[in-house]
Amino acid sequence: MSDKILNKDQAASFLAELGRERDLFAPAVSQGKVVWAPLEPGQEPLWRFSNTALSPKEFFFPQTECLMRFKNRQDGEEGMIMHPEPELARERALVNMRPCDAKAFGVLDLIFCQDQMTDDPYWRDKREKSLIVALACNDPCPTCFCTSMNCGPHAEAGADVLLVDLGERLLAKGVSDKGREAIAALPEADEADLAAAEGAKQKAEAAITTQVAMDNIGGREVMELYEAKHWDRVHESCLNCGTCTFFCPTCHCFDIQDETQGEQGRRVRNWDYCMSWLFTQHGSGHNPRGAKKDRVRQRFMHKFSYIPLKRGGEIGCVGCGRCVQQCPVNIDVREVVRDMNA
């Protein structure tokens, strides 16, 4: 049986055991926002919060990441020879991650580690050395629509352990082998605990009243979706500011540049975004997405048409609602998907 019980007053010792061989991180309040921060020894993590302001994707896909270093010299044996950055030195545990964010990593695994030829060692190293302890969401916010995106407030995908808050106790579900090993020493949950967790799950799912159907999108031709008339309206208010992409837990566009200072050089990967005109600018001067409409359409087509087509029906969205909350001109992804599905 993989379902265990953890009393909250014993969480400190459980976390101390996790922290013996790992760095611990968890959501914390800072300047009025819930952010990811190191969890210090003896510090109690947050148990009640909506979600972190930014997704935790930076733990695996940093905003700026040095991939390689080199000597900026044309002569000598070391001149312009690339040396990869060291791997993550110590394992880590990300505690109390919301299920939508954990699910997002499962989506991004399909992007960064597709096959032998497309296997990002930087992403894989961090994923393999991280334990994800998710905390089920018992009080979804009004902009959540995870139940429409192959996810849910108690979803287990992408997590190693799923905690369910039962008040003074936590039900701990071991999802992966790594997760089951982490909670192996905890006492077994009883039938009453399991029933309480199931009740909390049903209540949380019922609280998400927004449903976003996608059943028609897969049956429509890509070009039919691409040429749909609603794009003429959707793109008008968009500023192409990219806020939605930076807050999104599944957006993953990047640019790679070589930076030099004297004889030192490094190759870095930086977040980029498909809403930027420069992102698709060719050296020839041609830009296949030169118009704002092209770029706005690309973002939604990629998430809700191209990724499902190429990744076995998986959706490039987990319904966290951050883009709905943060868009400065109130573009609502739920409305756009409804237009695509009409």
Side-chain angles (χ1 to χ4, degrees), residues 170-332:
L170 297 156
L171 182 78
K173 294 185 175 183
V175 179
S176 68
D177 290 342
K178 188 163 52 176
R180 284 186 281 272
E181 181 180 349
I183 63 172
L186 298 177
E188 299 284 346
D190 59 29
E191 291 300 323
D193 295 322
L194 299 179
E198 179 60 26
K201 177 182 178 181
Q202 293 180 11
K203 183 179 177 182
E205 290 178 347
I208 299 175
T209 57
T210 300
Q211 300 300 318
V212 184
M214 288 188 54
D215 52 320
N216 291 333
I217 293 178
R220 299 178 68 180
E221 294 292 332
V222 169
M223 289 309 298
E224 180 188 354
L225 278 171
Y226 184 87
E227 295 172 347
K229 295 296 184 185
H230 67 264
W231 300 120
D232 292 334
R233 169 176 46 81
V234 171
H235 87 277
E236 286 183 337
S237 59
C238 180
L239 305 176
N240 274 182
C241 66
T243 298
C244 51
T245 67
F246 299 135
F247 278 87
C248 177
T250 63
C251 277
H252 53 274
C253 290
F254 61 83
D255 184 29
I256 292 180
Q257 297 180 345
D258 286 351
E259 298 177 344
T260 61
Q261 186 171 30
E263 288 196 350
Q264 304 302 316
R266 65 176 196 159
R267 177 160 294 178
V268 296
R269 173 162 63 184
N270 300 309
W271 286 5
D272 206 337
Y273 63 114
C274 59
M275 309 293 268
S276 165
W277 168 83
L278 189 59
F279 182 65
T280 47
Q281 176 74 6
H282 293 187
S284 65
H286 170 66
N287 194 329
R289 296 186 208 129
K292 186 172 73 171
K293 173 183 171 181
D294 301 327
R295 299 189 290 276
V296 173
R297 176 172 53 195
Q298 164 64 21
R299 180 166 192 271
F300 294 107
M301 289 289 287
H302 189 208
K303 287 182 173 296
F304 302 103
S305 179
Y306 304 152
I307 287 180
L309 280 173
K310 294 184 176 181
R311 305 289 169 240
E314 193 55 272
I315 306 170
C317 172
V318 292
C320 70
R322 286 187 179 93
C323 60
V324 180
Q325 298 167 7
Q326 301 296 332
C327 179
V329 293
N330 297 321
I331 293 178
D332 190 327

Side-chain angles (χ1 to χ4, degrees), residues 10 34 51 78 87 97 133 143 148 223 234 237 289 297 304 317:
Q10 297 174 345
V34 180
N51 204 348
E78 284 297 307
E87 295 182 346
M97 183 183 296
V133 181
T143 53
S148 298
M223 289 309 298
V234 171
S237 59
R289 296 186 208 129
R297 176 172 53 195
F304 302 103
C317 172

Side-chain angles (χ1 to χ4, degrees), residues 93-197:
L94 308 181
V95 179
N96 287 358
M97 183 183 296
R98 287 303 187 195
C100 53
D101 287 335
K103 163 76 176 181
F105 297 134
V107 175
L108 292 179
D109 284 341
L110 301 176
I111 306 296
F112 285 103
C113 301
Q114 297 177 22
D115 50 40
Q116 188 174 7
M117 297 299 291
T118 309
D119 188 19
D120 189 311
Y122 303 94
W123 173 271
R124 179 179 292 281
D125 176 55
K126 298 180 187 67
R127 287 284 281 145
E128 292 179 346
K129 293 177 179 172
S130 298
L131 179 77
I132 295 181
V133 181
L135 177 63
C137 185
N138 284 344
D139 297 300
C141 63
T143 53
C144 291
F145 57 105
C146 55
T147 51
S148 298
M149 297 290 127
N150 293 342
C151 189
H154 285 230
E156 300 175 3
D160 295 301
V161 176
L162 176 67
L163 301 177
V164 181
D165 193 338
L166 303 179
E168 298 301 318
R169 294 148 64 87
L170 297 156
L171 182 78
K173 294 185 175 183
V175 179
S176 68
D177 290 342
K178 188 163 52 176
R180 284 186 281 272
E181 181 180 349
I183 63 172
L186 298 177
E188 299 284 346
D190 59 29
E191 291 300 323
D193 295 322
L194 299 179

